[in-house]
Amino acid sequence: QVQLVESGGGLVQAGGSLRLSCAASGIGFSIDTMAWYRRAPGKQRELVAGITKSSPGIPKSSTKYADSVKGRFTISRDNAKNTVHLQMNSLKPEDTAVYYCNIEHGALSRWGQGTQVTVSS
């Protein structure tokens, strides 16, 4: 059974940092795409950052970021462990949201339970 376990959320002051982690279990292969989404109160869920796995023809992973987090957040992955991390620096109050891990591999799609990130001003 495929499960995602997220960790690293919490309360931080504006300008601070947090590191989110998501570990996928029950999978015996390297996942194509791993991503972080977030949903702020009263808003729709949005993509924060995504990362694809490298392959023999494409040695480097490809990343994508929301414009609002570019230069502040960094997504990374450990293919051997099927884990994905989100390093969040220079946090702002508007980054406050529930952050969700997502994995996609062909027809397989799973979401984590979500982890709360609260940034105080």
Side-chain angles (χ1 to χ4, degrees):
Q1 184 177 0
V2 177
Q3 289 186 323
L4 303 182
V5 178
E6 300 153 341
S7 61
L11 173 64
V12 65
Q13 288 188 330
S17 299
L18 284 174
R19 180 178 170 87
L20 304 183
S21 296
C22 174
S25 61
I27 299 177
F29 49 83
S30 183
I31 300 165
D32 281 340
T33 303
M34 308 183 81
W36 287 95
Y37 288 75
R38 67 186 180 187
R39 177 176 286 157
K43 295 186 177 181
Q44 291 186 330
R45 184 173 58 196
E46 64 172 348
L47 174 68
V48 176
I51 184 168
T52 60
K53 68 176 181 180
S54 59
S55 63
I58 306 175
K60 295 184 68 175
S61 295
S62 173
T63 59
K64 180 179 181 179
Y65 295 93
D67 288 342
S68 60
V69 308
K70 284 181 181 178
R72 300 187 297 122
F73 291 10
T74 303
I75 190 169
S76 61
R77 61 185 290 167
D78 183 333
N79 291 332
K81 298 180 180 180
N82 271 333
T83 58
V84 62
H85 307 284
L86 185 67
Q87 179 66 43
M88 305 185 294
N89 298 328
S90 302
L91 283 160
K92 304 176 181 180
E94 51 263 44
D95 294 317
T96 294
V98 178
Y99 285 69
Y100 297 91
C101 175
N102 171 259
I103 62 169
E104 302 278 345
H105 189 98
L108 173 67
S109 178
R110 289 290 187 274
W111 291 90
Q113 79 282 3
T115 184
Q116 177 70 45
V117 171
T118 302
V119 184
S120 62
S121 57

